[in-house]
Every structure is written in C-alpha cells, then in structure tokens.
Amino acid sequence: MSKPSLKILAAFKIICFALIILSLGIGEELERPKIGLVLSGGGAMGFAHIGTLKLIDSLQIPIDYIAGTSMGGIAAALYAVGYSGKEIEQIALNVDWQKAFTDRPPRLKLPYFQKRDAEKYQVELGVKDFLPLGPGGAIVGQNINLLLSRLVFNYLQVTDFDSLPIPFRCLAVDLITGKEVVLSRGSLAKAMRATMAVPSVFSPVEWGDSLLIDGGLLNNLPVNVVRQMGAEIVIAAAVGNPYKNRAEIRNTLDVLTQSFNVLRDNTMEANAADADILIDCTLIGLGPADFGSNKVEQIIGFGDQAAQRKIGELQELKNRYHLSAPIAQQQVNIADNRLRIAEITITGNRVMSEGAIRELVHLKENDYFNRGEVEYYLDKLRATNDFLWVRYSTEKIGDKAVRLIININEKWRPLIYGVDIEGNTQLSFDFIYRLLGIYPGDIFRESEIEERITYLYSLGFFDEVSYGIEPVSTNYARFKLYVKESAPYKIRLGLHYNNYRKLIAAINLLVLNKPLTGLRIENEVQFIGLNRLRMQAYYPSRLKDFPLYPYANFTYHDIPFYLYDKGGRKVASYLDRAARAGTGIGLLYQNYWNIEVGITSEFAKIYPDVASNDPIVFPSWKNEILSWNLTTNIDLLDDTFIPRQGLLWHAEFNQCPQVVGDTSAYFQLMTSLDYYLTVGHKHTIHGYGYYGYVNMPGITNRFLYQGGPENYVGVEYNQLMATHLALLRLDYRLELLRNLYLTLIGNTVLRYENNILMPDEKPGLMLGYGAGVTFVSPLGPFECYLCRGDKSVYQPGEKRLIAYFRAGYVF
C-alpha cells in the first residue's frame, strides 16, 4: 500500500476515533447522572429545607430520587408527589401547627356530651387488665394524621413509593428491635407520620409487627439511602443548632435536647461527607419546637440564606450537565410589561372541562399579561378546593406576546364502592358504620370524609381513627377505615384550687360500651375541699337514627357554705348534705342544643357547722323532695376556658308540685347567658346575664347562688344567696402573649331579694368592678383577680377590695 493510502487510512482511523469519543460525550450528556436530594430531620427547623426546594425549582434542576427523615421526610414526601418549594412554603405558613399537634378536635365539632368534659382533667389513662395504659406519647397524632392524608390525598392509593412522581424514601426506627427501617412501601401518609414520631412527644406508629419512631435517632441525613436508590450525585440539606455550653444546660430538658443532638450528629457526619453538595443551615435562637407562625417564617428565611450560599455550586452542576427540569416543574418568570396573551393553554385537567376552568379564571386571549391579575384568578381556582395545585408558566412569542400555560392537578373524586373497617375488636362493624355515615355511592370528598372521621373520633370510643383508599376502577374506590379502640375503662384525674374551697381533687372513672354498646357511665369522686359523688349513665349512641336518649343519675354531696349578716360579715358556717337520684329523657339537636325532662327524688339535711347553738337564729332543716325538672342548654363556645366566639345558654325549671313530708311545694326558675365576641384576634368582649327566681313558702336547699370570679366580682364566693336575683356583667379581655391575658370586669346586680333569710331587706343597685390576669398552662389556667365591690349585699354602699385566685380546671 502506498504511503498516501496509509496516510488516508490513518486519517480515517483518527476521524473514526474522534467520532467515537464525540459520540460517547454526547451519550454522556444525554445520559445525565441521576440526582438525589436528602433532607434532614430537625422538628420545626426542617422548615429551612423550603429554601433549598425553592432554589432547586428556580434553577430547574431535576430530582430523580428523594429521601428524608422526620420533618425532612414530610417535606420530601410533599415534593415527591409534586408540590413545588413555593407551595410547600405556603402550606408551612398557613397550617396552624399548634392545633395540628393536638388530638382533641375543635370544640365546636365535639358532640354535646364531650363538650361538657372538655379540658376538665389534667391526666387521662386507659385501664386494661387492671393496669393503666398511657398513649405512648404526649400526642397520639389524630389531627396530624388527617392533615397528612389531606396533603397527599391523590396518592393515598399508592403503595409503592417508587411509583410517585419522584421515587421517595423516609426513615424510621423500630422500637422493638432498635433497627433502622427504610420505608419504601405502604401508606404514604402513615409513613410520613412514622418518620416524625419523636419519642415521648408522639405515640409510636404501628407498622405490621413493628412500632416505629422518629428515624433521626439512627439516620438523620440518609444520603446512603438515595445512593442505594441509584443517585449518582447527591444534594443534601441539613439543619441543626449549635451545642449548648455548660452555662446553658440548666435543666432536664436541656440535657435531653443536648443528648439527642449528640446522637443525631454522630450519625450525620459520615453521611454529610458523602454528599456532593451540602447545604448546612445552623439556626441560632430557633429550635425544633418553634412552630409558631412568626418562628416558622424566620426559619424559612434562614433556610433561604443557607441555600443562596450554595447557589454557585448548584449553578455549576446545572451548567456541567445541561440540566433542565420537566415543564411541569418550571416556574418561568417574565417582567410585567405591555405583552399580550396570544394563547392560553390548560393542562392537567381530567374531569373539569377547559370551558369551566376558563369561566373561573376570567382570562382570555388578547388580554394584557398582568402577573397580579393572573395570580388573583388562579387563587380563585385554588379556592374551589378541587385541585391539589394550580400553577402557571409563560413562553414568549416574539417581542409582543406570550403563551400562558395553566397547569392543574385535579383532586381525585371517585365514587365510594364499599366501606371496610379494620382494627375493631369490641365494637361491631354495624355500630361503627352507622356512626360513620359514609355509604357506597357517595362522592369521595376529603373535606366531608374528615368531618365524619372527626365526629367518630370525638365520641370517645377510639384512640385513633384514620383512613385510606383502594382503587376499584377509574371512577370507584373502596373506603378503608382504620380504628384503634379506646380501653373500655378510663381513669381521669384532676386538681383545682381556689381561695374559697382551697384544694379540690377529683377522680373520674369512665366506662364505655359496658354492658351495652354505646352506653357511657361516669363515676366521679371529689374530695378534700368538698365531698361530692356523681354517677350518671346515658345512651347517646343512636343519635343519628333517633335523637332521643334515656339518662339516669345519682349525686351525693356534703358541701360547706357561709351565711352573712347585714354588715357583710360571716356569721355561720353551714353544711349542705344531700342525696339525689333522677331519671328522664333527653333530646339532642346536632351537637350543641340539649333538652332534658325528668323526675328527681332528693333527701337533704342542712345544719349549722360553726355557729351559735340558738336554733331560732341558726336553724337546721331537712327536705324530702320529689320534683320534675326541665333543663336546656345551647353550647356554641369555641373554647372551654378562653372563649373567643360563641354563646352558652342555660335554662332550668324545677317544681315540687305538692307537699312531701315537711317540705312545702315550690318552683325554681333560672337562666344564664354568656356571649363572646373577638375583634382583631387580641380583643375579646364578654357579656354575661343571669336571672333566677324561687317561690318557696318554707325553707329548702333551693336558694340561688352567685358571687366570685366566674360570675360576679366584688363579693365573696356565693355571697349572693337569694330567692330573686338578676345581674349583668361585661368583661374586656386583652391577649398580652399567646397564653397570657389581662381582663377588665364590671358588673351590677339589678335585683336582689332573700325572702326566707332577710325578708325585710330590699337593697338597691349594687356595683362591682376589677381586673385580673390569666395564664393558661398545660395544667390548666392560673387566674388572679383584684376587685372592688359592696361589703354587704343587703345594705350596699360600703366598698371593699377582695382578691380571688384559681388554678387548674373547674370540675
């Protein structure tokens, strides 16, 4: 072969080799590396991850795998199902986390009987096999379960986390074996709840034979997990606090927090070193429990700053591999100017027609593009609650026009094909099914589902109620209800102190579903400051079918009270000792209006405890009473102790129609009304009115009692002992801090008579006023009042200062 031919052959080989190298390079660009994102745990500090998510969105860096622990696992799950960083930020800012991290439903949604017991006791324990059962954590997680299910509603039927828009993993620890658990299958909402189950704060999550708790104990930054999923490049975001110094470790909580940080950080260091890009956010002055709205906003701000410090590395990654996210993840921004909308494209709708969406949006071709106007109309679309998300992007068409692309993700609205109930052992399917009120053929709307589940949970039969769905076809799904039944016996313990009765202790035994399903029997003993036994049984479980219910009760009390002379001085201490038994029929309208009609038999003995032995001046008496009574209540208060809105109305009529033994016939009427109105969140007006009248020819124990910080200030507790009484009260309450309140009070007695003890005294107008401070603690409210009023209720005029103090819940 000639030398030119050899040269041509050599040149051909070089060209071929170059083409191979070039083709490999092109192949490498097309086969870009798989990118994983890892978000650490940290409680509320995890909201800092939102800064990382927003920056990744703005740079349009595609994420192929995502994993997280604890709050990082929650954020990772939301991102995995398609929420953008900006949308997760809106969720974080709009959720009331204080309410989410409680188990009790809002008071307005409680059934009437549960409203009566709301927040009366400091401790509640189930009893099984004669041993107390605790919940396993301060928070069972009922409300957070519903919130997580709502947020990932469209993916509740998904059982393989690899089939989510972004394959997802979260970390937990099995409390039984002590081993790390990587959750890749099962219920997505339940997995999210498990990864955040901080020990002693949240109850563990039952997962098969395991009890799962927060994965941050063993792997708070699971870089190794996304590596195993297939990630070749890992972006990791970690949050934390600096260690406390010796002077800052002052109590048991500080020791526990520091110990947890040491354990967490030892597992994080190796994984952090394995990340290709690490976004580290150290928060000073903010911690894992800072879920207040202003704190959340600050944490997100710190996260934005930490992410921006890594923008150079992320931009270099994007440029090196020519990265670009799918169009659904792009958030294209253009400046507001005089561009016209040449075309409107709507994507993602499956059920709602494009015409219906356009009617809601009110945007049309040839309108001028205005960002504020677009956001306004898209917010109206979001407000329908029919979409998981609503987004838009724009594409420029020439120099004077844009294409507006509206991308929506409709919520799945299947018809319910059937209902399954799992976890019940004591209560029958029919009993739960009837109370649930969800039937085949109903449209599956998560807001209505939540209402029914909240109602079911609020009845007190269950420690936890959650739900899932199982697709049957495109338009049908099976509703699956998961319940964890309460123990059939509950012991509730409470303490209350006031400067009248001093310390009062209460032990309450609640019996559920024994011997009849749905029957509630309450037995309570109060002692130390007074002696009282209360037993009541009622059967409200058939309210949906028939609103009438039977009830029976028995009470015994031995309670001291004082008599006052014309000068306002205590002159005698009496004991009211009585036993009372009654039965009747009640009627409930919805969950706030109650009427009861019944008969009561009572034996009472009232006698002086400390007084002169003169029986004429300080008599004793006995009553044998057989009466019929009518009681009605309307309860629309939004809170038991610090109401902001609503009213509470009580009315009662009792009549003893004929002489029984040495008791004269009598009748008694009394009614009271509380009304609350809050303006601007911090300013609450409270109005209270009371009217009572007793017609008793002879002496009985049916006197009317008012006086004290609960109803009328300026006099001693129960100093207004009357047979005819009318009063008005007006309060103004100012919220100083989240749990600290200042109250100004003014009240007046419009009419006061005691035709039995002081028949000749007809006092005139009485006035009382004062101020108080209330602090609401986990053990109940602490209240202190300083007030001024009339020393004598029979001869008003001489004023005096009086102080009241109360602590703990009122039984």
Side-chain angles (χ1 to χ4, degrees):
M1 186 176 289
S2 63
K3 289 184 177 180
S5 298
L6 291 173
K7 290 181 179 179
I8 292 172
L9 181 61
F12 178 74
K13 289 181 178 178
I14 292 172
I15 292 171
C16 290
F17 181 75
L19 289 173
I20 292 172
I21 296 297
L22 183 61
S23 66
L24 288 175
I26 293 173
E28 286 181 354
E29 182 176 319
L30 292 175
E31 296 295 328
R32 64 166 179 79
K34 298 295 185 181
I35 300 174
L37 177 62
V38 181
L39 306 178
S40 79
M45 297 187 296
F47 292 122
H49 295 318
I50 291 171
T52 296
L53 299 176
K54 290 192 297 183
L55 183 58
I56 287 173
D57 286 342
S58 67
L59 294 175
Q60 298 178 27
I61 295 175
I63 300 299
D64 301 290
Y65 309 103
I66 190 167
T69 298
S70 195
M71 186 58 77
I74 304 298
L78 296 179
Y79 200 71
V81 301
Y83 287 98
S84 68
K86 185 177 180 181
E87 288 162 344
I88 296 173
E89 179 179 36
Q90 292 304 308
I91 292 170
L93 293 174
N94 292 330
V95 168
D96 187 336
W97 296 101
Q98 305 294 337
K99 291 183 179 179
F101 292 148
T102 61
D103 294 319
R104 187 177 297 279
R107 191 177 188 279
L108 287 172
K109 293 184 179 181
L110 288 174
Y112 175 77
F113 293 108
Q114 277 62 49
K115 286 183 180 182
R116 297 191 314 183
D117 292 341
E119 299 173 322
K120 287 175 60 176
Y121 306 96
Q122 283 92 349
V123 177
E124 180 174 312
L125 298 171
V127 177
K128 185 177 181 181
D129 299 328
F130 302 101
L131 294 174
L133 295 173
I139 304 168
V140 173
Q142 178 62 29
N143 288 338
I144 198 69
N145 284 343
L146 293 180
L147 172 64
L148 297 176
S149 296
R150 186 191 323 142
L151 291 175
V152 297
F153 178 77
N154 276 25
Y155 297 90
L156 289 182
Q157 78 277 18
V158 173
T159 57
D160 182 357
F161 299 165
D162 282 335
S163 63
L164 296 174
I166 301 176
F168 163 75
R169 301 287 187 272
C170 64
L171 276 291
V173 173
D174 186 353
L175 192 60
I176 306 301
T177 65
K179 295 182 179 180
E180 175 184 310
V181 178
V182 179
L183 299 175
S184 61
R185 298 184 61 83
S187 163
L188 179 59
K190 192 174 182 179
M192 295 164 71
R193 166 67 178 84
T195 192
M196 63 174 289
V198 179
S200 76
V201 177
F202 287 95
S203 295
V205 173
E206 296 181 6
W207 192 283
D209 294 331
S210 300
L211 286 178
L212 301 185
I213 58 175
D214 193 325
L217 289 173
L218 296 182
N219 193 349
N220 203 43
L221 189 68
V223 173
N224 60 318
V225 173
V226 291
R227 292 283 189 199
Q228 294 166 5
M229 293 173 73
E232 299 164 274
I233 293 177
V234 176
I235 303 168
V239 297
N241 291 125
Y243 287 157
K244 298 177 184 293
N245 60 39
R246 183 168 182 172
E248 292 173 322
I249 300 178
R250 295 171 294 182
N251 53 46
T252 303
L253 182 60
D254 292 335
V255 173
L256 289 174
T257 302
Q258 188 88 326
S259 301
F260 186 78
N261 287 342
V262 171
L263 178 64
R264 180 200 63 198
D265 290 353
N266 284 340
T267 64
M268 283 182 63
E269 288 181 4
N271 276 341
D274 190 35
D276 297 282
I277 298 176
L278 177 65
I279 300 173
D280 192 4
C281 182
T282 301
L283 297 164
I284 299 175
L286 296 164
D290 287 325
F291 283 93
S293 57
N294 60 328
K295 299 291 187 181
V296 171
E297 195 168 355
Q298 293 177 43
I299 292 170
I300 293 173
F302 277 109
D304 289 338
Q305 296 172 23
Q308 288 299 319
R309 289 194 290 270
K310 293 292 183 175
I311 191 171
E313 294 181 40
L314 291 169
Q315 186 67 57
E316 195 276 332
L317 173 67
K318 174 183 171 66
N319 295 338
R320 186 193 319 162
Y321 296 106
H322 306 287
L323 301 177
S324 179
I327 187 66
Q329 293 178 235
Q330 294 180 14
Q331 300 293 317
V332 180
N333 295 318
I334 64 172
D336 287 338
N337 50 34
R338 303 300 290 177
L339 296 177
R340 288 188 178 274
I341 300 174
E343 182 181 338
I344 298 176
T345 302
I346 297 173
T347 65
N349 56 310
R350 295 174 299 174
V351 178
M352 185 174 288
S353 68
E354 181 174 326
I357 295 172
R358 283 177 175 265
E359 283 186 20
L360 288 170
V361 172
H362 290 297
L363 294 171
K364 57 184 181 296
E365 283 78 359
N366 292 321
D367 286 348
Y368 282 108
F369 175 81
N370 180 282
R371 187 176 309 281
E373 187 177 22
V374 171
E375 286 289 357
Y376 171 78
Y377 285 121
L378 293 189
D379 280 342
K380 292 184 67 175
L381 202 59
R382 296 181 185 107
T384 63
N385 201 34
D386 288 323
F387 307 97
L388 206 60
W389 67 68
V390 177
R391 302 170 183 160
Y392 80 95
S393 60
T394 55
E395 295 178 0
K396 292 193 70 174
I397 302 176
D399 296 329
K400 297 182 179 180
V402 296
R403 177 183 293 110
L404 176 63
I405 303 167
I406 299 174
N407 178 256
I408 64 175
N409 187 349
E410 288 179 301
K411 291 183 178 178
W412 190 31
R413 302 294 192 203
L415 296 177
I416 294 176
Y417 179 80
V419 176
D420 293 340
I421 300 175
E422 299 181 13
N424 55 310
T425 57
Q426 303 175 54
L427 303 176
S428 69
F429 173 91
D430 290 340
F431 178 79
I432 300 174
Y433 180 70
R434 179 171 43 79
L435 291 174
L436 178 63
I438 296 173
Y439 306 106
D442 290 349
I443 298 176
F444 205 116
R445 292 188 174 90
E446 76 276 15
S447 59
E448 296 175 6
I449 296 294
E450 281 192 27
E451 287 286 337
R452 298 310 308 163
I453 286 180
T454 297
Y455 169 77
L456 190 64
Y457 174 76
S458 67
L459 293 173
F461 299 140
F462 307 99
D463 287 335
E464 195 171 349
V465 184
S466 59
Y467 71 96
I469 50 180
E470 180 182 288
V472 175
S473 65
T474 303
N475 297 320
Y476 285 89
R478 181 172 292 278
F479 177 79
K480 303 181 77 66
L481 184 75
Y482 306 102
V483 300
K484 182 180 180 181
E485 293 176 333
S486 296
Y489 306 97
K490 292 184 179 180
I491 292 180
R492 301 182 287 186
L493 309 173
L495 290 173
H496 174 76
Y497 178 88
N498 62 54
N499 53 336
Y500 177 52
R501 303 289 186 194
K502 307 306 180 185
L503 183 66
I504 304 172
I507 300 177
N508 182 288
L509 174 63
L510 174 63
V511 182
L512 296 172
N513 306 311
K514 301 288 185 180
L516 298 174
T517 300
L519 181 66
R520 298 173 64 93
I521 303 174
E522 295 186 33
N523 309 275
E524 181 172 287
V525 178
Q526 298 177 14
F527 53 97
I528 302 180
L530 54 79
N531 296 307
R532 178 183 287 143
L533 170 66
R534 294 193 299 196
M535 303 174 66
Q536 53 185 343
Y538 45 94
Y539 188 57
S541 64
R542 299 195 176 275
L543 298 181
K544 284 179 59 61
D545 301 325
F546 196 59
L548 292 177
Y549 63 91
Y551 72 88
N553 55 53
F554 172 80
T555 64
Y556 170 81
H557 66 247
D558 188 351
I559 301 176
F561 66 93
Y562 297 104
L563 293 183
Y564 297 83
D565 65 10
K566 294 181 181 180
R569 295 178 297 270
K570 294 178 182 177
V571 294
S573 173
Y574 267 73
L575 288 177
D576 179 359
R577 182 174 294 170
R580 181 184 302 173
T583 187
I585 295 293
L587 170 67
L588 276 179
Y589 176 74
Q590 296 188 11
N591 68 334
Y592 62 86
W593 191 358
N594 159 264
I595 301 174
E596 290 183 350
V597 179
I599 58 173
T600 300
S601 176
E602 178 178 358
F603 175 81
K605 180 179 180 181
I606 294 87
Y607 57 93
D609 182 29
V610 179
S612 165
N613 292 326
D614 187 345
I616 297 176
V617 179
F618 299 105
S620 61
W621 66 92
K622 297 179 181 179
N623 294 137
E624 293 181 38
I625 300 172
L626 181 63
S627 63
W628 73 273
N629 27 77
L630 170 66
T631 304
T632 182
N633 299 277
I634 294 179
D635 188 342
L636 289 169
L637 297 183
D638 63 345
D639 190 83
T640 303
F641 297 103
I642 307 294
R644 296 182 181 276
Q645 305 287 345
L647 63 86
L648 176 65
W649 176 58
H650 171 78
E652 184 175 342
F653 180 81
N654 301 290
Q655 184 176 27
C656 177
Q658 61 184 3
V659 175
V660 179
D662 61 353
T663 301
S664 301
Y666 75 89
F667 75 85
Q668 178 190 56
L669 170 68
M670 52 185 157
T671 183
S672 64
L673 176 68
D674 290 90
Y675 180 77
Y676 292 85
L677 175 65
T678 295
V679 179
H681 185 72
K682 292 182 178 293
H683 308 277
T684 301
I685 303 297
H686 166 220
Y688 172 74
Y690 176 90
Y691 177 81
Y693 177 73
V694 182
N695 183 354
M696 50 182 180
I699 191 168
T700 73
N701 65 343
R702 295 300 186 179
F703 288 102
L704 309 169
Y705 293 95
Q706 294 279 281
E710 190 172 353
N711 44 60
Y712 187 89
V713 300
V715 300
E716 296 281 0
Y717 289 88
N718 292 336
Q719 189 177 351
L720 292 169
M721 181 179 177
T723 56
H724 198 176
L725 177 62
L727 62 86
L728 292 175
R729 169 171 165 164
L730 184 66
D731 299 358
Y732 164 72
R733 188 179 69 221
L734 172 65
E735 181 181 326
L736 301 175
L737 299 173
R738 187 173 64 87
N739 288 332
L740 184 64
Y741 304 87
L742 171 68
T743 303
L744 304 178
I745 308 167
N747 46 219
T748 180
V749 173
L750 303 177
R751 181 158 187 168
Y752 180 81
E753 295 178 13
N754 192 322
N755 294 329
I756 302 297
L757 300 181
M758 293 286 180
D760 300 326
E761 298 296 331
K762 306 293 182 183
L765 190 70
M766 283 184 275
L767 296 173
Y769 51 89
V773 175
T774 301
F775 174 70
V776 181
S777 76
L779 298 177
F782 288 76
E783 303 170 274
C784 184
Y785 298 89
L786 184 62
C787 303
R788 184 173 174 82
D790 295 290
K791 184 177 180 180
S792 171
V793 298
Y794 300 110
Q795 297 176 346
E798 183 182 353
K799 303 294 183 180
R800 62 158 173 203
L801 284 175
I802 187 167
Y804 309 101
F805 178 74
R806 301 195 302 176
Y809 301 129
V810 179
F811 313 123

